[in-house]
Amino acid sequence: GAKVKAGQTLKVKPGENCLIHISQASLGKAKKGVFGLLYATVDDKKLLLGTLSQDSFPHINFDHLLFDREFELSHTLDRGYVHFIGHQRNKKKRASESSKTPVSFNTGKSVLQPCSESKTNQKKQKIQKENSEEIKEMNKSIKELSEAVKTLQQIILTKANLPEEKETPKKKEEDSCCFGCEEATGNNEQTIFVKGFENLRPRAEIKNALSNFFGSCGEITRVYVPIECKNRLPLGFAFIDLRKGEGNEKALELNGSYMGGKELEVTMASHRDEYYGFTDFHGCERCPVFLDHIYYPSSSKHRRSVYR
Protein backbone atom coordinates (compact mmCIF):
# COMPACT_ATOMS: atom_id res chain seq x y z
CA GLY A 1 0.00 0.00 0.00
CA ALA A 2 1.12 3.58 -0.70
CA LYS A 3 -0.35 7.05 -0.25
CA VAL A 4 0.03 9.54 -3.08
CA LYS A 5 -0.62 13.03 -1.70
CA ALA A 6 -2.06 15.90 -3.71
CA GLY A 7 0.53 17.52 -5.97
CA GLN A 8 2.91 14.57 -5.64
CA THR A 9 3.68 11.46 -7.70
CA LEU A 10 4.89 7.97 -6.86
CA LYS A 11 7.51 6.20 -8.98
CA VAL A 12 7.46 2.40 -8.85
CA LYS A 13 10.14 0.18 -10.36
CA PRO A 14 9.49 -3.56 -10.57
CA GLY A 15 12.40 -5.79 -9.66
CA GLU A 16 14.16 -7.98 -12.17
CA ASN A 17 11.85 -10.62 -13.64
CA CYS A 18 8.91 -9.13 -11.71
CA LEU A 19 5.51 -7.67 -12.44
CA ILE A 20 3.61 -5.11 -10.37
CA HIS A 21 -0.13 -5.64 -10.07
CA ILE A 22 -2.15 -2.59 -8.89
CA SER A 23 -5.35 -4.08 -7.50
CA GLN A 24 -7.17 -1.16 -5.87
CA ALA A 25 -7.24 2.63 -5.42
CA SER A 26 -9.30 4.57 -2.88
CA LEU A 27 -9.80 8.15 -1.70
CA GLY A 28 -8.49 9.33 1.64
CA LYS A 29 -10.65 11.52 3.87
CA ALA A 30 -12.28 14.13 1.63
CA LYS A 31 -15.32 16.40 1.59
CA LYS A 32 -18.45 15.56 -0.34
CA GLY A 33 -18.38 16.46 -4.01
CA VAL A 34 -14.61 15.89 -4.34
CA PHE A 35 -13.50 13.80 -7.33
CA GLY A 36 -10.23 13.28 -9.15
CA LEU A 37 -8.70 11.43 -12.09
CA LEU A 38 -6.04 8.74 -11.66
CA TYR A 39 -3.08 8.42 -14.04
CA ALA A 40 -0.16 6.08 -14.68
CA THR A 41 2.78 7.30 -16.76
CA VAL A 42 4.74 4.58 -18.63
CA ASP A 43 7.50 5.34 -21.14
CA ASP A 44 6.52 9.04 -21.13
CA LYS A 45 2.91 8.11 -21.98
CA LYS A 46 0.24 9.27 -19.52
CA LEU A 47 -2.57 6.72 -19.23
CA LEU A 48 -5.93 7.40 -17.56
CA LEU A 49 -6.74 4.69 -15.01
CA GLY A 50 -10.11 5.91 -13.76
CA THR A 51 -11.88 8.44 -11.58
CA LEU A 52 -12.64 8.57 -7.87
CA SER A 53 -15.63 10.43 -6.39
CA GLN A 54 -16.30 10.86 -2.67
CA ASP A 55 -20.06 10.71 -3.38
CA SER A 56 -20.29 7.84 -5.86
CA PHE A 57 -16.95 6.04 -6.43
CA PRO A 58 -14.68 6.30 -3.36
CA HIS A 59 -12.64 3.27 -4.50
CA ILE A 60 -11.86 1.27 -7.67
CA ASN A 61 -10.79 -2.35 -8.16
CA PHE A 62 -8.45 -3.21 -11.05
CA ASP A 63 -8.33 -6.72 -12.58
CA HIS A 64 -5.70 -6.38 -15.31
CA LEU A 65 -3.51 -3.50 -14.20
CA LEU A 66 -0.02 -5.07 -14.61
CA PHE A 67 3.31 -3.29 -15.11
CA ASP A 68 6.59 -4.92 -16.22
CA ARG A 69 8.66 -1.72 -16.21
CA GLU A 70 9.07 1.48 -14.24
CA PHE A 71 5.89 3.60 -13.96
CA GLU A 72 4.63 6.66 -12.10
CA LEU A 73 1.26 7.10 -10.30
CA SER A 74 -0.45 10.50 -9.98
CA HIS A 75 -3.88 12.09 -9.58
CA THR A 76 -5.66 15.46 -9.95
CA LEU A 77 -6.88 16.04 -6.37
CA ASP A 78 -6.21 19.53 -4.99
CA ARG A 79 -5.94 18.20 -1.44
CA GLY A 80 -5.94 14.89 0.43
CA TYR A 81 -4.47 11.69 -0.99
CA VAL A 82 -5.18 8.49 -2.92
CA HIS A 83 -4.31 5.10 -1.39
CA PHE A 84 -3.05 2.52 -3.94
CA ILE A 85 -2.88 -1.19 -3.10
CA GLY A 86 -0.94 -3.76 -5.10
CA HIS A 87 1.70 -6.49 -4.96
CA GLN A 88 4.80 -7.73 -6.74
CA ARG A 89 4.83 -11.00 -8.61
CA ASN A 90 7.97 -12.86 -9.75
CA LYS A 91 7.97 -14.02 -13.33
CA LYS A 92 10.10 -17.01 -12.36
CA LYS A 93 9.45 -19.43 -9.50
CA ARG A 94 11.69 -21.88 -7.86
CA ALA A 95 11.35 -25.46 -9.00
CA SER A 96 9.78 -26.35 -5.63
CA GLU A 97 6.89 -23.96 -6.37
CA SER A 98 6.28 -25.14 -9.91
CA SER A 99 3.62 -27.60 -8.81
CA LYS A 100 1.54 -24.95 -7.02
CA THR A 101 -1.63 -23.56 -8.55
CA PRO A 102 -0.97 -20.46 -10.65
CA VAL A 103 -2.07 -17.14 -9.11
CA SER A 104 -5.37 -15.76 -10.40
CA PHE A 105 -6.07 -12.00 -10.43
CA ASN A 106 -9.92 -12.12 -10.41
CA THR A 107 -9.97 -12.70 -14.14
CA GLY A 108 -11.20 -16.28 -14.14
CA LYS A 109 -7.91 -17.51 -15.61
CA SER A 110 -4.24 -17.57 -14.77
CA VAL A 111 -2.39 -14.38 -15.54
CA LEU A 112 1.14 -15.65 -14.88
CA GLN A 113 2.36 -19.20 -15.33
CA PRO A 114 5.17 -20.48 -13.08
CA CYS A 115 8.44 -20.93 -14.81
CA SER A 116 11.48 -23.00 -13.77
CA GLU A 117 15.01 -22.94 -15.03
CA SER A 118 14.54 -26.42 -16.48
CA LYS A 119 11.91 -25.23 -18.95
CA THR A 120 12.95 -25.13 -22.58
CA ASN A 121 13.35 -21.95 -24.63
CA GLN A 122 10.07 -22.79 -26.32
CA LYS A 123 8.30 -22.64 -22.97
CA LYS A 124 9.94 -19.27 -22.19
CA GLN A 125 8.79 -17.86 -25.51
CA LYS A 126 5.27 -19.05 -24.79
CA ILE A 127 5.25 -17.24 -21.43
CA GLN A 128 6.59 -14.04 -22.98
CA LYS A 129 3.86 -14.21 -25.60
CA GLU A 130 1.22 -14.64 -22.89
CA ASN A 131 2.62 -11.63 -20.99
CA SER A 132 2.53 -9.57 -24.17
CA GLU A 133 -1.10 -10.51 -24.72
CA GLU A 134 -1.93 -9.54 -21.14
CA ILE A 135 -0.34 -6.11 -21.66
CA LYS A 136 -2.31 -5.63 -24.86
CA GLU A 137 -5.49 -6.58 -23.00
CA MET A 138 -4.59 -4.10 -20.24
CA ASN A 139 -4.09 -1.28 -22.77
CA LYS A 140 -7.45 -2.13 -24.34
CA SER A 141 -9.12 -2.05 -20.91
CA ILE A 142 -7.53 1.33 -20.12
CA LYS A 143 -8.81 2.75 -23.42
CA GLU A 144 -12.33 1.49 -22.71
CA LEU A 145 -12.12 2.88 -19.17
CA SER A 146 -11.05 6.29 -20.50
CA GLU A 147 -14.12 6.45 -22.72
CA ALA A 148 -16.34 5.41 -19.80
CA VAL A 149 -14.83 8.13 -17.59
CA LYS A 150 -15.55 10.80 -20.21
CA THR A 151 -19.17 9.64 -20.40
CA LEU A 152 -19.42 9.57 -16.61
CA GLN A 153 -18.07 13.13 -16.31
CA GLN A 154 -20.70 14.38 -18.77
CA ILE A 155 -23.44 12.63 -16.75
CA ILE A 156 -22.18 14.09 -13.47
CA LEU A 157 -22.05 17.63 -14.89
CA THR A 158 -25.51 17.23 -16.40
CA LYS A 159 -27.05 15.96 -13.15
CA ALA A 160 -25.35 18.68 -11.17
CA ASN A 161 -27.07 21.21 -13.45
CA LEU A 162 -24.14 23.54 -13.02
CA PRO A 163 -24.94 27.08 -14.19
CA GLU A 164 -22.69 28.76 -16.66
CA GLU A 165 -20.37 31.25 -15.10
CA LYS A 166 -21.50 34.73 -15.96
CA GLU A 167 -19.75 37.92 -15.25
CA THR A 168 -21.44 39.60 -12.30
CA PRO A 169 -22.75 42.96 -13.47
CA LYS A 170 -21.28 45.86 -11.60
CA LYS A 171 -23.80 47.51 -9.33
CA LYS A 172 -24.52 51.03 -10.48
CA GLU A 173 -23.57 53.46 -7.76
CA GLU A 174 -26.47 55.66 -6.64
CA ASP A 175 -26.10 59.35 -7.45
CA SER A 176 -25.57 61.38 -4.29
CA CYS A 177 -27.51 64.39 -5.62
CA CYS A 178 -31.17 64.71 -4.66
CA PHE A 179 -32.10 65.29 -8.31
CA GLY A 180 -29.56 62.88 -9.83
CA CYS A 181 -32.14 60.24 -10.73
CA GLU A 182 -34.79 59.83 -13.43
CA GLU A 183 -37.62 59.95 -10.87
CA ALA A 184 -36.76 63.57 -9.92
CA THR A 185 -38.78 64.84 -12.89
CA GLY A 186 -42.46 64.28 -13.54
CA ASN A 187 -44.48 65.91 -10.74
CA ASN A 188 -47.96 66.76 -12.06
CA GLU A 189 -51.54 67.37 -10.94
CA GLN A 190 -52.08 63.59 -10.59
CA THR A 191 -49.03 63.01 -8.36
CA ILE A 192 -49.64 61.52 -4.89
CA PHE A 193 -47.75 62.82 -1.83
CA VAL A 194 -46.76 60.42 0.98
CA LYS A 195 -45.27 61.27 4.36
CA GLY A 196 -44.75 59.56 7.72
CA PHE A 197 -42.79 56.44 6.72
CA GLU A 198 -39.52 55.35 8.35
CA ASN A 199 -36.93 57.58 6.67
CA LEU A 200 -33.73 56.34 8.33
CA ARG A 201 -33.20 53.87 5.51
CA PRO A 202 -31.53 54.07 2.09
CA ARG A 203 -33.48 55.72 -0.68
CA ALA A 204 -33.73 52.46 -2.68
CA GLU A 205 -35.23 50.53 0.26
CA ILE A 206 -37.88 53.19 0.85
CA LYS A 207 -38.73 53.25 -2.85
CA ASN A 208 -39.24 49.46 -2.90
CA ALA A 209 -41.34 49.56 0.29
CA LEU A 210 -43.64 52.26 -1.12
CA SER A 211 -43.96 50.44 -4.45
CA ASN A 212 -45.07 47.26 -2.66
CA PHE A 213 -47.44 49.12 -0.32
CA PHE A 214 -49.22 51.14 -3.03
CA GLY A 215 -48.96 48.45 -5.71
CA SER A 216 -52.49 47.26 -5.00
CA CYS A 217 -53.91 50.66 -6.00
CA GLY A 218 -52.80 50.51 -9.63
CA GLU A 219 -49.79 50.47 -11.92
CA ILE A 220 -47.02 52.54 -10.35
CA THR A 221 -44.96 54.44 -12.93
CA ARG A 222 -42.82 56.59 -10.64
CA VAL A 223 -41.66 56.80 -7.01
CA TYR A 224 -39.44 59.77 -6.13
CA VAL A 225 -37.82 59.93 -2.67
CA PRO A 226 -36.00 63.28 -2.19
CA ILE A 227 -32.79 63.15 -0.12
CA GLU A 228 -30.31 65.57 1.40
CA CYS A 229 -27.29 65.41 -0.88
CA LYS A 230 -24.57 65.61 1.77
CA ASN A 231 -25.66 62.68 3.95
CA ARG A 232 -28.03 60.94 1.49
CA LEU A 233 -30.74 60.77 4.17
CA PRO A 234 -34.33 60.93 2.82
CA LEU A 235 -36.22 64.16 3.63
CA GLY A 236 -39.18 62.16 4.97
CA PHE A 237 -41.63 62.39 2.07
CA ALA A 238 -42.10 60.95 -1.40
CA PHE A 239 -44.01 61.49 -4.65
CA ILE A 240 -45.85 58.62 -6.36
CA ASP A 241 -47.43 58.49 -9.83
CA LEU A 242 -50.01 55.91 -10.91
CA ARG A 243 -50.54 55.45 -14.64
CA LYS A 244 -53.01 58.11 -15.86
CA GLY A 245 -53.99 58.76 -12.23
CA GLU A 246 -56.06 55.57 -12.21
CA GLY A 247 -56.03 54.25 -8.67
CA ASN A 248 -55.48 57.64 -6.99
CA GLU A 249 -58.75 57.28 -5.06
CA LYS A 250 -57.60 53.93 -3.64
CA ALA A 251 -54.24 55.46 -2.77
CA LEU A 252 -55.90 58.36 -0.90
CA GLU A 253 -57.93 55.84 1.10
CA LEU A 254 -54.64 54.63 2.59
CA ASN A 255 -54.27 57.91 4.44
CA GLY A 256 -53.88 57.06 8.15
CA SER A 257 -52.85 53.46 7.44
CA TYR A 258 -49.61 51.97 8.81
CA MET A 259 -46.49 50.86 6.94
CA GLY A 260 -43.71 49.33 9.01
CA GLY A 261 -45.36 50.55 12.20
CA LYS A 262 -45.52 54.16 10.98
CA GLU A 263 -48.73 56.06 10.23
CA LEU A 264 -48.83 57.43 6.69
CA GLU A 265 -50.13 60.77 5.49
CA VAL A 266 -51.41 60.44 1.92
CA THR A 267 -52.69 63.47 -0.05
CA MET A 268 -52.53 64.96 -3.53
CA ALA A 269 -49.07 66.44 -4.04
CA SER A 270 -50.39 69.71 -5.49
CA HIS A 271 -52.02 70.43 -2.10
CA ARG A 272 -48.65 70.33 -0.33
CA ASP A 273 -45.96 73.00 0.02
CA GLU A 274 -43.32 70.32 -0.73
CA TYR A 275 -44.72 70.18 -4.27
CA TYR A 276 -43.22 73.64 -4.85
CA GLY A 277 -40.16 73.62 -2.59
CA PHE A 278 -38.28 71.66 0.06
CA THR A 279 -38.03 73.21 3.53
CA ASP A 280 -34.56 73.26 5.15
CA PHE A 281 -33.03 71.69 2.06
CA HIS A 282 -29.35 72.55 1.47
CA GLY A 283 -28.55 70.53 -1.63
CA CYS A 284 -25.18 70.43 -3.37
CA GLU A 285 -23.36 72.31 -6.11
CA ARG A 286 -24.85 69.96 -8.71
CA CYS A 287 -28.49 70.65 -7.77
CA PRO A 288 -28.83 73.85 -9.89
CA VAL A 289 -27.55 71.97 -12.93
CA PHE A 290 -30.24 69.32 -12.55
CA LEU A 291 -32.91 71.86 -11.71
CA ASP A 292 -32.34 73.66 -15.02
CA HIS A 293 -33.89 70.58 -16.66
CA ILE A 294 -36.73 70.06 -14.17
CA TYR A 295 -40.10 71.72 -14.86
CA TYR A 296 -42.64 72.15 -12.07
CA PRO A 297 -46.14 72.63 -13.54
CA SER A 298 -47.98 75.85 -12.84
CA SER A 299 -51.05 75.81 -10.58
CA SER A 300 -53.27 78.17 -8.64
CA LYS A 301 -50.55 78.46 -6.01
CA HIS A 302 -47.55 80.71 -6.52
CA ARG A 303 -44.59 78.82 -7.97
CA ARG A 304 -41.68 78.81 -5.49
CA SER A 305 -37.98 77.84 -5.57
CA VAL A 306 -37.00 74.34 -4.48
CA TYR A 307 -34.76 75.94 -1.82
CA ARG A 308 -36.75 77.47 1.07
Side-chain angles (χ1 to χ4, degrees):
K3 293 181 180 179
V4 180
K5 297 181 179 179
Q8 298 182 2
T9 61
L10 176 65
K11 288 188 178 181
V12 182
K13 185 176 182 180
E16 187 177 357
N17 295 323
C18 291
L19 291 173
I20 295 293
H21 175 215
I22 303 297
S23 58
Q24 188 180 102
S26 59
L27 275 175
K29 293 181 179 180
K31 295 181 180 179
K32 291 184 178 181
V34 172
F35 71 93
L37 303 178
L38 309 181
Y39 294 97
T41 303
V42 183
D43 294 336
D44 296 328
K45 294 181 180 180
K46 197 170 185 178
L47 307 175
L48 177 63
L49 303 181
T51 184
L52 291 176
S53 170
Q54 187 65 27
D55 298 331
S56 305
F57 309 100
H59 66 273
I60 300 178
N61 293 322
F62 303 105
D63 290 332
H64 304 288
L65 197 51
L66 302 171
F67 298 90
D68 62 352
R69 67 198 69 180
E70 182 177 356
F71 63 96
E72 184 178 76
L73 296 173
S74 61
H75 56 80
T76 62
L77 290 178
D78 293 332
R79 60 181 63 183
Y81 63 88
V82 175
H83 190 199
F84 290 92
I85 298 177
H87 63 273
Q88 180 173 279
R89 170 72 184 183
N90 292 330
K91 290 183 179 179
K92 295 183 179 181
K93 286 188 176 181
R94 293 177 299 189
S96 60
E97 297 178 340
S98 61
S99 60
K100 295 182 180 180
T101 303
V103 176
S104 175
F105 293 94
N106 297 325
T107 61
K109 63 180 181 179
S110 174
V111 176
L112 300 175
Q113 299 293 339
C115 175
S116 66
E117 295 179 355
S118 61
K119 298 295 181 178
T120 62
N121 291 334
Q122 184 178 2
K123 183 68 175 179
K124 291 181 180 180
Q125 293 176 357
K126 182 179 179 181
I127 293 176
Q128 291 176 353
K129 183 178 180 180
E130 290 176 353
N131 289 338
S132 177
E133 290 177 354
E134 290 293 339
I135 292 175
K136 289 181 180 179
E137 185 177 354
M138 179 191 70
N139 292 334
K140 181 180 179 181
S141 298
I142 291 175
K143 184 177 180 180
E144 292 175 353
L145 182 59
S146 299
E147 296 297 328
V149 168
K150 291 180 180 179
T151 303
L152 178 60
Q153 288 176 336
Q154 293 177 353
I155 294 174
I156 291 175
L157 293 176
T158 301
K159 288 185 176 181
N161 194 22
L162 297 177
E164 296 182 0
E165 293 185 0
K166 297 182 179 180
E167 184 178 355
T168 304
K170 295 182 179 179
K171 186 176 180 181
K172 185 178 180 181
E173 185 178 355
E174 183 180 3
D175 199 309
S176 60
C177 181
C178 177
F179 306 102
C181 62
E182 295 180 0
E183 296 83 4
T185 61
N187 279 354
N188 57 74
E189 296 294 335
Q190 300 295 331
T191 301
I192 297 294
F193 175 86
V194 182
K195 186 178 181 180
F197 51 80
E198 173 59 58
N199 66 328
L200 296 179
R201 292 191 296 171
R203 172 192 255 180
E205 290 186 13
I206 294 177
K207 178 181 176 181
N208 291 335
L210 291 173
S211 297
N212 293 332
F213 190 80
F214 287 90
S216 60
C217 300
E219 182 182 352
I220 296 177
T221 58
R222 171 176 168 263
V223 177
Y224 174 46
V225 181
I227 62 172
E228 181 58 71
C229 306
K230 185 176 181 180
N231 54 28
R232 295 191 181 183
L233 289 178
L235 300 181
F237 54 88
F239 299 97
I240 299 177
D241 284 334
L242 298 169
R243 184 172 296 280
K244 297 181 180 180
E246 297 176 359
N248 279 1
E249 294 181 1
K250 291 183 179 180
L252 293 175
E253 291 177 359
L254 295 177
N255 181 46
S257 60
Y258 288 83
M259 185 182 79
K262 297 288 186 178
E263 185 177 1
L264 297 181
E265 180 182 351
V266 183
T267 61
M268 295 303 297
S270 59
H271 299 166
R272 299 288 307 195
D273 289 341
E274 290 87 346
Y275 182 71
Y276 307 95
F278 302 159
T279 304
D280 298 328
F281 176 71
H282 301 286
C284 64
E285 59 183 10
R286 299 175 60 202
C287 286
V289 178
F290 284 112
L291 286 173
D292 286 342
H293 303 283
I294 297 178
Y295 172 71
Y296 288 91
S298 61
S299 80
S300 58
K301 292 189 177 183
H302 180 65
R303 183 178 172 189
R304 306 171 191 173
S305 170
V306 73
Y307 297 94
R308 294 197 293 117

